[in-house]
Amino acid sequence: MIENNHEGIFKLMLELVSVPSISATPGEIKMARMIYGKLEELPYFKNHPDYLKLLPINNDPLERQVVFALVKAGPSVKKTIILTGHYDVVAVEGYGALKEYAFDPVEYTRRLSKEKLPEDAAKDLESGNYIFGRGVSDMKCGLAIEMALLAEAAQNPCKLSANLAFLAVPDEENNSTGMRGAVSHLMELEKELGLDYIAAINCEPSGPGAPDDDHRYIFTGTVGKIMPFFYFVGKETHVGDYFNGLNATLMASYLNIALEARPDFIDFKGSEVFSPPTCLKLKDLRDAYSVTLPERAVAYYNLLTVSKSPAQILESMKRAAAEAFSMAVDHLRKTAASYSKKSGQDIGISWQTKVITYGELEEKVCRNFPGNMSEHVKHYIASLPESLDERDKAISLVGELLKYYPDKAPMIIVGFLPPYYPHRGNLGRTEEEKNVMKAVDKVIEEARQSYGIEMKVVEYFAGITDLSYFGFQGKAEELKALSDNMPGWREIYDIPLNELAKLDIPVLNLGPSGKDDHKYTERLELSYSLNITPRLLKFAVESLAKS
């Protein structure tokens, strides 16, 4: 049985952590079955087996599943609160010689006492109030807390005036395949079971904002993430005939200058300002050494959003690309002028700035393609090595289409790569959003009165979370710029855009306290996470149910 108390949650967390459910591995399948099995033992689900489901993720090569469970407050009750979280974790290579103990938190924590740790981690270990291990913080403690609350609700379903649903998904740490696959299921279950989703609560961990910060945090939204890419087409030539060509890496270098950490590309909302754009990969596209100028290069960037749509971002990225191309040409003109003086040769630079979107490339190729381009693209993608990730597959497809593009002049192609996370905040526009904010105010007061804890409201959770997929806050047509300009849309990566545009579920993140997620010093603060977080989550659910 699952018990909603300190000991019960701790025991369940250790059981969940013991399964090495690393993203994109068979461990995720085992994890889903364990969660399902633990819930299946509850008397409520023995009596209501139709309310506990393992839902398939369409077109997932690993055949992973989403776990869905529902405790109904009554036959006619529609109001439904979703408790959600991910059951995958990141890899453990950073654990070094202690890697084999990463999923045994008690033993791993004991062995760390003999290791030299960073000062903050060493202090926490010595306190005895922390346990270390992969997944203890991100986010199997949160899952255990949610499952314990669901189990308690299942003992007396009528006590709540709202249904309580539980949604556990794989792959959040990679491409959010699980939550993207769950969107359609949520829409279908809403109709099938007569539900009305009034809120979704995640239990992602959060730690102190700074070493001297004593506040705890509750989040009413999540930041968005989009990945613009730039495919540089230069002009190949022998290095001895330099000015007859155009080095694609030169354009890429200037693009990085034009975009990396540029403050005018930072998105913000009120006093919340987020990280600037940063390059996640920049490389030429040659497979072997050659004494010719690199003709192709690619770069892609991490961009966080809280207000900008894909269409707006595409336009700003086109401007950045044009600026980079122009800077590269100016650079060559200056160097050519200097070279001309020294060599006595008359060197001219005639390159003209050209920037197109991936959608424009695809449209032009489609008009001139000698056959069925759609089928060609499908076959090409299927022929790519399985070891390539989604981004590399998309980039490879751009190169394939360029074979059929009639204009061979240098240019920069701009588009998007997976994954995409829409930003989601509480805009206070609907009754459901207003009720969530009222519940937040009550939680803050409860934390102060009952536990002497000061909580702060933050509008956007700065880490990427699956809460992004509980509805798109914009017009459906604003997503067209994304789908039209992502190579291999539907074949390599997909989001059910119609369903996403229809969903509008207010979100909340109220989680345990952890530190150093994704590091070998990942750890969970025990007292707050096991004693107070569960009670605050229960209080939040009860407040929302009464709204």
Side-chain angles (χ1 to χ4, degrees), residues 206-253:
S206 63
D212 58 348
D213 186 358
D214 294 327
H215 291 90
R216 305 294 182 170
Y217 290 89
I218 186 167
F219 301 86
T220 59
T222 186
V223 72
K225 169 192 170 90
I226 196 166
M227 292 230 300
F229 81 86
F230 303 82
Y231 193 106
F232 306 91
V233 180
K235 184 71 173 178
E236 195 174 46
T237 190
H238 192 279
V239 294
D241 194 19
Y242 179 85
F243 290 105
N244 252 352
L246 175 58
N247 194 327
T249 67
L250 178 66
M251 292 189 286
S253 299

Tab-separated table of all heavy atoms in Angstrom, residues 206-253:
chain	number	residue	atom	x	y	z
A	206	SER	N	12.464	22.496	-6.878
A	206	SER	CA	13.052	23.829	-6.940
A	206	SER	C	13.900	24.018	-5.700
A	206	SER	O	13.542	23.549	-4.616
A	206	SER	CB	11.986	24.918	-7.028
A	206	SER	OG	11.190	24.916	-5.859
A	207	GLY	N	15.019	24.652	-5.862
A	207	GLY	CA	15.898	24.927	-4.733
A	207	GLY	C	15.917	26.402	-4.433
A	207	GLY	O	15.209	27.194	-5.069
A	208	PRO	N	16.718	26.828	-3.473
A	208	PRO	CA	16.811	28.246	-3.152
A	208	PRO	C	17.348	29.042	-4.324
A	208	PRO	O	18.183	28.560	-5.091
A	208	PRO	CB	17.775	28.286	-1.955
A	208	PRO	CG	18.534	26.999	-2.026
A	208	PRO	CD	17.599	26.005	-2.636
A	209	GLY	N	16.846	30.274	-4.496
A	209	GLY	CA	17.290	31.111	-5.607
A	209	GLY	C	18.730	31.549	-5.477
A	209	GLY	O	19.403	31.846	-6.453
A	210	ALA	N	19.241	31.604	-4.235
A	210	ALA	CA	20.619	32.004	-3.960
A	210	ALA	C	21.030	31.357	-2.640
A	210	ALA	O	20.177	30.924	-1.862
A	210	ALA	CB	20.720	33.532	-3.877
A	211	PRO	N	22.337	31.273	-2.357
A	211	PRO	CA	22.779	30.615	-1.131
A	211	PRO	C	22.143	31.167	0.140
A	211	PRO	O	21.921	30.434	1.096
A	211	PRO	CB	24.295	30.855	-1.155
A	211	PRO	CG	24.633	30.981	-2.602
A	211	PRO	CD	23.452	31.668	-3.226
A	212	ASP	N	21.860	32.477	0.171
A	212	ASP	CA	21.280	33.081	1.371
A	212	ASP	C	19.770	33.289	1.241
A	212	ASP	O	19.169	34.051	2.009
A	212	ASP	CB	21.966	34.420	1.662
A	212	ASP	CG	21.849	35.411	0.500
A	212	ASP	OD1	21.435	34.982	-0.596
A	212	ASP	OD2	22.170	36.599	0.697
A	213	ASP	N	19.134	32.614	0.295
A	213	ASP	CA	17.694	32.758	0.053
A	213	ASP	C	16.937	31.721	0.880
A	213	ASP	O	17.088	30.521	0.685
A	213	ASP	CB	17.407	32.577	-1.435
A	213	ASP	CG	15.953	32.862	-1.794
A	213	ASP	OD1	15.153	33.155	-0.880
A	213	ASP	OD2	15.617	32.776	-2.991
A	214	ASP	N	16.110	32.195	1.812
A	214	ASP	CA	15.340	31.294	2.673
A	214	ASP	C	13.927	31.059	2.170
A	214	ASP	O	13.152	30.347	2.815
A	214	ASP	CB	15.277	31.863	4.097
A	214	ASP	CG	16.646	31.901	4.757
A	214	ASP	OD1	17.462	30.993	4.467
A	214	ASP	OD2	16.904	32.829	5.548
A	215	HIS	N	13.561	31.662	1.045
A	215	HIS	CA	12.213	31.513	0.523
A	215	HIS	C	12.019	30.157	-0.158
A	215	HIS	O	12.966	29.536	-0.628
A	215	HIS	CB	11.888	32.621	-0.489
A	215	HIS	CG	11.765	33.976	0.131
A	215	HIS	ND1	12.847	34.824	0.271
A	215	HIS	CD2	10.693	34.635	0.639
A	215	HIS	CE1	12.450	35.951	0.843
A	215	HIS	NE2	11.151	35.858	1.080
A	216	ARG	N	10.766	29.726	-0.189
A	216	ARG	CA	10.360	28.594	-1.011
A	216	ARG	C	9.550	29.160	-2.174
A	216	ARG	O	9.011	30.271	-2.093
A	216	ARG	CB	9.516	27.614	-0.194
A	216	ARG	CG	10.205	27.138	1.078
A	216	ARG	CD	11.431	26.297	0.785
A	216	ARG	NE	12.044	25.821	2.020
A	216	ARG	CZ	13.017	24.921	2.085
A	216	ARG	NH1	13.485	24.393	0.962
A	216	ARG	NH2	13.516	24.530	3.242
A	217	TYR	N	9.434	28.385	-3.247
A	217	TYR	CA	8.853	28.947	-4.463
A	217	TYR	C	7.676	28.127	-4.987
A	217	TYR	O	7.644	26.910	-4.890
A	217	TYR	CB	9.930	29.061	-5.543
A	217	TYR	CG	10.950	30.135	-5.219
A	217	TYR	CD1	12.088	29.822	-4.473
A	217	TYR	CD2	10.756	31.452	-5.611
A	217	TYR	CE1	13.012	30.805	-4.144
A	217	TYR	CE2	11.674	32.438	-5.285
A	217	TYR	CZ	12.801	32.115	-4.552
A	217	TYR	OH	13.707	33.092	-4.218
A	218	ILE	N	6.738	28.858	-5.552
A	218	ILE	CA	5.615	28.256	-6.248
A	218	ILE	C	5.513	28.964	-7.599
A	218	ILE	O	5.603	30.193	-7.682
A	218	ILE	CB	4.313	28.386	-5.421
A	218	ILE	CG1	3.164	27.629	-6.075
A	218	ILE	CG2	3.949	29.835	-5.147
A	218	ILE	CD1	1.966	27.457	-5.150
A	219	PHE	N	5.380	28.190	-8.653
A	219	PHE	CA	5.435	28.737	-10.009
A	219	PHE	C	4.064	28.621	-10.674
A	219	PHE	O	3.396	27.593	-10.570
A	219	PHE	CB	6.475	27.988	-10.838
A	219	PHE	CG	7.862	28.042	-10.265
A	219	PHE	CD1	8.266	27.130	-9.310
A	219	PHE	CD2	8.754	29.016	-10.672
A	219	PHE	CE1	9.545	27.171	-8.765
A	219	PHE	CE2	10.040	29.072	-10.141
A	219	PHE	CZ	10.440	28.151	-9.177
A	220	THR	N	3.674	29.666	-11.379
A	220	THR	CA	2.355	29.676	-12.035
A	220	THR	C	2.460	29.581	-13.558
A	220	THR	O	1.498	29.847	-14.270
A	220	THR	CB	1.577	30.945	-11.645
A	220	THR	OG1	2.334	32.105	-12.033
A	220	THR	CG2	1.325	30.994	-10.147
A	221	GLY	N	3.613	29.206	-14.038
A	221	GLY	CA	3.801	29.046	-15.481
A	221	GLY	C	5.165	28.459	-15.747
A	221	GLY	O	5.935	28.146	-14.833
A	222	THR	N	5.483	28.307	-17.008
A	222	THR	CA	6.771	27.740	-17.394
A	222	THR	C	7.306	28.441	-18.636
A	222	THR	O	6.539	28.836	-19.526
A	222	THR	CB	6.647	26.220	-17.633
A	222	THR	OG1	7.952	25.669	-17.874
A	222	THR	CG2	5.757	25.905	-18.814
A	223	VAL	N	8.595	28.629	-18.659
A	223	VAL	CA	9.228	29.299	-19.789
A	223	VAL	C	9.139	28.418	-21.039
A	223	VAL	O	9.026	27.197	-20.951
A	223	VAL	CB	10.703	29.608	-19.440
A	223	VAL	CG1	11.536	28.336	-19.421
A	223	VAL	CG2	11.314	30.626	-20.384
A	224	GLY	N	9.139	29.047	-22.206
A	224	GLY	CA	9.147	28.310	-23.463
A	224	GLY	C	10.549	28.190	-24.020
A	224	GLY	O	11.469	28.906	-23.618
A	225	LYS	N	10.702	27.256	-24.945
A	225	LYS	CA	12.007	27.054	-25.594
A	225	LYS	C	11.782	26.782	-27.073
A	225	LYS	O	10.910	25.999	-27.457
A	225	LYS	CB	12.732	25.863	-24.967
A	225	LYS	CG	13.974	25.391	-25.743
A	225	LYS	CD	14.436	24.044	-25.206
A	225	LYS	CE	15.493	23.402	-26.081
A	225	LYS	NZ	16.843	23.767	-25.709
A	226	ILE	N	12.577	27.459	-27.900
A	226	ILE	CA	12.531	27.222	-29.334
A	226	ILE	C	13.964	27.195	-29.845
A	226	ILE	O	14.852	27.841	-29.258
A	226	ILE	CB	11.688	28.315	-30.031
A	226	ILE	CG1	11.305	27.889	-31.452
A	226	ILE	CG2	12.380	29.665	-30.018
A	226	ILE	CD1	10.201	28.743	-32.069
A	227	MET	N	14.218	26.416	-30.921
A	227	MET	CA	15.585	26.240	-31.406
A	227	MET	C	15.716	26.642	-32.871
A	227	MET	O	15.513	25.824	-33.773
A	227	MET	CB	16.019	24.787	-31.245
A	227	MET	CG	16.177	24.384	-29.800
A	227	MET	SD	17.730	23.570	-29.446
A	227	MET	CE	17.646	22.161	-30.514
A	228	PRO	N	16.003	27.907	-33.124
A	228	PRO	CA	16.259	28.306	-34.506
A	228	PRO	C	17.573	27.716	-35.012
A	228	PRO	O	18.545	27.616	-34.267
A	228	PRO	CB	16.337	29.839	-34.423
A	228	PRO	CG	16.654	30.135	-33.005
A	228	PRO	CD	16.087	29.030	-32.184
A	229	PHE	N	17.570	27.321	-36.290
A	229	PHE	CA	18.814	26.837	-36.899
A	229	PHE	C	19.148	27.695	-38.110
A	229	PHE	O	18.293	28.339	-38.724
A	229	PHE	CB	18.702	25.359	-37.299
A	229	PHE	CG	17.991	25.115	-38.614
A	229	PHE	CD1	18.678	25.151	-39.817
A	229	PHE	CD2	16.632	24.849	-38.636
A	229	PHE	CE1	18.024	24.928	-41.030
A	229	PHE	CE2	15.970	24.619	-39.831
A	229	PHE	CZ	16.664	24.662	-41.035
A	230	PHE	N	20.434	27.666	-38.463
A	230	PHE	CA	20.953	28.420	-39.605
A	230	PHE	C	21.838	27.479	-40.411
A	230	PHE	O	22.822	26.947	-39.890
A	230	PHE	CB	21.756	29.631	-39.127
A	230	PHE	CG	20.973	30.567	-38.245
A	230	PHE	CD1	20.820	30.292	-36.894
A	230	PHE	CD2	20.370	31.698	-38.764
A	230	PHE	CE1	20.095	31.135	-36.071
A	230	PHE	CE2	19.641	32.541	-37.946
A	230	PHE	CZ	19.501	32.260	-36.599
A	231	TYR	N	21.463	27.283	-41.650
A	231	TYR	CA	22.216	26.403	-42.546
A	231	TYR	C	22.938	27.302	-43.545
A	231	TYR	O	22.314	28.016	-44.328
A	231	TYR	CB	21.260	25.451	-43.256
A	231	TYR	CG	21.915	24.294	-43.977
A	231	TYR	CD1	21.849	23.005	-43.445
A	231	TYR	CD2	22.574	24.471	-45.186
A	231	TYR	CE1	22.430	21.925	-44.114
A	231	TYR	CE2	23.156	23.409	-45.853
A	231	TYR	CZ	23.083	22.139	-45.309
A	231	TYR	OH	23.663	21.067	-45.977
A	232	PHE	N	24.263	27.290	-43.496
A	232	PHE	CA	25.079	28.202	-44.291
A	232	PHE	C	25.561	27.513	-45.571
A	232	PHE	O	26.201	26.458	-45.508
A	232	PHE	CB	26.279	28.677	-43.480
A	232	PHE	CG	25.907	29.282	-42.155
A	232	PHE	CD1	25.830	28.493	-41.019
A	232	PHE	CD2	25.613	30.627	-42.044
A	232	PHE	CE1	25.475	29.027	-39.791
A	232	PHE	CE2	25.255	31.182	-40.828
A	232	PHE	CZ	25.174	30.379	-39.696
A	233	VAL	N	25.265	28.109	-46.688
A	233	VAL	CA	25.716	27.608	-47.982
A	233	VAL	C	26.731	28.603	-48.540
A	233	VAL	O	26.376	29.740	-48.870
A	233	VAL	CB	24.547	27.443	-48.974
A	233	VAL	CG1	25.058	26.916	-50.312
A	233	VAL	CG2	23.479	26.523	-48.393
A	234	GLY	N	27.973	28.189	-48.587
A	234	GLY	CA	29.011	29.052	-49.118
A	234	GLY	C	29.368	28.662	-50.545
A	234	GLY	O	28.525	28.164	-51.298
A	235	LYS	N	30.606	28.886	-50.907
A	235	LYS	CA	31.088	28.545	-52.257
A	235	LYS	C	32.440	27.858	-52.111
A	235	LYS	O	33.386	28.410	-51.558
A	235	LYS	CB	31.239	29.801	-53.112
A	235	LYS	CG	31.639	29.539	-54.549
A	235	LYS	CD	30.505	28.908	-55.340
A	235	LYS	CE	30.868	28.813	-56.823
A	235	LYS	NZ	29.811	28.164	-57.617
A	236	GLU	N	32.509	26.611	-52.578
A	236	GLU	CA	33.715	25.821	-52.433
A	236	GLU	C	34.806	26.314	-53.387
A	236	GLU	O	34.544	26.669	-54.533
A	236	GLU	CB	33.385	24.352	-52.739
A	236	GLU	CG	34.423	23.368	-52.285
A	236	GLU	CD	33.951	21.935	-52.492
A	236	GLU	OE1	33.429	21.639	-53.581
A	236	GLU	OE2	34.115	21.127	-51.573
A	237	THR	N	36.032	26.335	-52.904
A	237	THR	CA	37.184	26.643	-53.745
A	237	THR	C	38.444	26.151	-53.041
A	237	THR	O	38.436	25.925	-51.825
A	237	THR	CB	37.308	28.156	-54.013
A	237	THR	OG1	38.302	28.385	-55.022
A	237	THR	CG2	37.723	28.921	-52.761
A	238	HIS	N	39.515	25.968	-53.797
A	238	HIS	CA	40.784	25.559	-53.207
A	238	HIS	C	41.311	26.700	-52.339
A	238	HIS	O	41.112	27.877	-52.644
A	238	HIS	CB	41.797	25.245	-54.326
A	238	HIS	CG	43.031	24.563	-53.846
A	238	HIS	ND1	44.090	25.236	-53.272
A	238	HIS	CD2	43.388	23.240	-53.853
A	238	HIS	CE1	45.034	24.388	-52.947
A	238	HIS	NE2	44.648	23.150	-53.292
A	239	VAL	N	41.974	26.349	-51.235
A	239	VAL	CA	42.473	27.397	-50.334
A	239	VAL	C	43.465	28.331	-51.034
A	239	VAL	O	43.641	29.485	-50.636
A	239	VAL	CB	43.130	26.773	-49.079
A	239	VAL	CG1	42.111	26.046	-48.234
A	239	VAL	CG2	44.293	25.860	-49.456
A	240	GLY	N	44.135	27.823	-52.092
A	240	GLY	CA	45.072	28.660	-52.833
A	240	GLY	C	44.383	29.681	-53.711
A	240	GLY	O	45.028	30.587	-54.251
A	241	ASP	N	43.096	29.544	-53.890
A	241	ASP	CA	42.304	30.474	-54.700
A	241	ASP	C	41.189	31.062	-53.830
A	241	ASP	O	40.031	31.092	-54.202
A	241	ASP	CB	41.717	29.721	-55.905
A	241	ASP	CG	41.175	30.666	-56.965
A	241	ASP	OD1	41.561	31.853	-56.950
A	241	ASP	OD2	40.346	30.223	-57.776
A	242	TYR	N	41.572	31.510	-52.646
A	242	TYR	CA	40.646	31.833	-51.566
A	242	TYR	C	39.489	32.745	-51.979
A	242	TYR	O	38.324	32.463	-51.678
A	242	TYR	CB	41.418	32.476	-50.404
A	242	TYR	CG	40.509	32.854	-49.246
A	242	TYR	CD1	40.171	31.918	-48.281
A	242	TYR	CD2	39.976	34.139	-49.143
A	242	TYR	CE1	39.326	32.241	-47.230
A	242	TYR	CE2	39.134	34.478	-48.103
A	242	TYR	CZ	38.801	33.526	-47.145
A	242	TYR	OH	37.956	33.855	-46.123
A	243	PHE	N	39.773	33.835	-52.654
A	243	PHE	CA	38.742	34.838	-52.916
A	243	PHE	C	37.760	34.426	-54.016
A	243	PHE	O	36.821	35.161	-54.310
A	243	PHE	CB	39.392	36.188	-53.252
A	243	PHE	CG	40.059	36.814	-52.060
A	243	PHE	CD1	41.444	36.815	-51.937
A	243	PHE	CD2	39.297	37.382	-51.044
A	243	PHE	CE1	42.057	37.395	-50.840
A	243	PHE	CE2	39.906	37.955	-49.936
A	243	PHE	CZ	41.290	37.960	-49.831
A	244	ASN	N	37.959	33.259	-54.598
A	244	ASN	CA	36.987	32.739	-55.554
A	244	ASN	C	35.852	31.982	-54.864
A	244	ASN	O	34.903	31.562	-55.520
A	244	ASN	CB	37.672	31.788	-56.553
A	244	ASN	CG	37.780	32.434	-57.925
A	244	ASN	OD1	37.224	33.492	-58.161
A	244	ASN	ND2	38.508	31.776	-58.820
A	245	GLY	N	35.981	31.785	-53.552
A	245	GLY	CA	34.958	31.052	-52.816
A	245	GLY	C	34.441	31.855	-51.638
A	245	GLY	O	34.787	33.019	-51.449
A	246	LEU	N	33.579	31.202	-50.858
A	246	LEU	CA	33.041	31.825	-49.642
A	246	LEU	C	32.962	30.740	-48.571
A	246	LEU	O	32.227	29.755	-48.716
A	246	LEU	CB	31.654	32.425	-49.901
A	246	LEU	CG	30.930	33.005	-48.679
A	246	LEU	CD1	31.763	34.092	-48.008
A	246	LEU	CD2	29.568	33.557	-49.085
A	247	ASN	N	33.725	30.922	-47.522
A	247	ASN	CA	33.789	29.949	-46.446
A	247	ASN	C	32.506	30.011	-45.609
A	247	ASN	O	32.201	31.033	-44.997
A	247	ASN	CB	35.008	30.229	-45.566
A	247	ASN	CG	35.341	29.076	-44.642
A	247	ASN	OD1	34.461	28.361	-44.183
A	247	ASN	ND2	36.632	28.895	-44.368
A	248	ALA	N	31.787	28.897	-45.588
A	248	ALA	CA	30.532	28.868	-44.833
A	248	ALA	C	30.762	29.116	-43.343
A	248	ALA	O	29.905	29.678	-42.652
A	248	ALA	CB	29.827	27.525	-45.026
A	249	THR	N	31.921	28.715	-42.836
A	249	THR	CA	32.188	28.915	-41.413
A	249	THR	C	32.409	30.384	-41.075
A	249	THR	O	32.251	30.785	-39.915
A	249	THR	CB	33.406	28.100	-40.946
A	249	THR	OG1	34.591	28.615	-41.559
A	249	THR	CG2	33.246	26.628	-41.284
A	250	LEU	N	32.794	31.194	-42.072
A	250	LEU	CA	32.923	32.636	-41.836
A	250	LEU	C	31.548	33.229	-41.544
A	250	LEU	O	31.381	34.015	-40.599
A	250	LEU	CB	33.559	33.321	-43.052
A	250	LEU	CG	33.697	34.847	-42.949
A	250	LEU	CD1	34.677	35.227	-41.839
A	250	LEU	CD2	34.139	35.440	-44.286
A	251	MET	N	30.547	32.854	-42.345
A	251	MET	CA	29.189	33.332	-42.091
A	251	MET	C	28.689	32.835	-40.739
A	251	MET	O	28.050	33.574	-39.979
A	251	MET	CB	28.243	32.868	-43.202
A	251	MET	CG	28.497	33.507	-44.550
A	251	MET	SD	27.195	33.127	-45.752
A	251	MET	CE	27.572	31.415	-46.137
A	252	ALA	N	29.016	31.581	-40.430
A	252	ALA	CA	28.591	31.017	-39.155
A	252	ALA	C	29.221	31.755	-37.985
A	252	ALA	O	28.571	31.996	-36.957
A	252	ALA	CB	28.944	29.531	-39.099
A	253	SER	N	30.482	32.128	-38.142
A	253	SER	CA	31.181	32.851	-37.081
A	253	SER	C	30.540	34.213	-36.835
A	253	SER	O	30.350	34.631	-35.686
A	253	SER	CB	32.658	33.026	-37.446
A	253	SER	OG	33.286	31.774	-37.588
